[in-house]
Amino acid sequence: MKAWKEERSAERPSELQLISPETYIQRRNIEEEHHEATEDMEAYTDYVCESRIITVSEYEMLKSIEEIDSSEAIDAYTEELIEEGVL
């Protein structure tokens, strides 16, 4: 997994793009940016975001971590402390 870096695109990019059988480009904070016309250039819009290269297995691991319900683990630990008389 590489560090996040700024990316610009003429079209709105997808949040997750498969670029090879084992590699994604993951994007976040995708924002539309408008540029006013100048003497040399017409007005235009592009998109700026943060992106990084991530393997399919790294992405799946991060997704499974996000799905863990930490409140359930806290409740079980609290119940255990009550049963032991600590709380």
Side-chain angles (χ1 to χ4, degrees):
M1 181 176 349
K2 306 238 178 175
W4 292 99
K5 64 178 186 172
E6 184 178 289
E7 177 184 346
R8 290 187 171 272
S9 177
E11 296 181 12
R12 183 172 185 82
S14 60
E15 291 184 12
L16 193 63
Q17 178 183 357
L18 190 64
I19 58 173
S20 76
E22 291 297 317
T23 309
Y24 285 122
I25 294 179
Q26 184 181 28
R27 297 179 179 94
R28 67 180 182 189
N29 303 326
I30 301 169
E31 295 182 11
E32 190 174 81
E33 200 169 272
H34 301 283
H35 301 274
E36 299 295 325
T38 64
E39 291 179 16
D40 303 326
M41 199 174 221
E42 293 183 22
Y44 68 98
T45 299
D46 65 355
Y47 296 86
V48 63
C49 64
E50 295 174 294
S51 67
R52 68 179 174 186
I53 304 296
I54 186 170
T55 66
V56 171
S57 61
E58 288 170 331
Y59 178 76
E60 289 171 354
M61 179 188 65
L62 290 173
K63 280 302 191 189
S64 66
I65 289 170
E66 288 175 7
E67 292 173 3
I68 294 173
D69 185 0
S70 59
S71 62
E72 186 176 310
I74 291 169
D75 290 345
Y77 181 64
T78 303
E79 186 176 325
E80 183 180 323
L81 292 176
I82 291 170
E83 289 172 0
E84 293 174 0
V86 177
L87 293 180

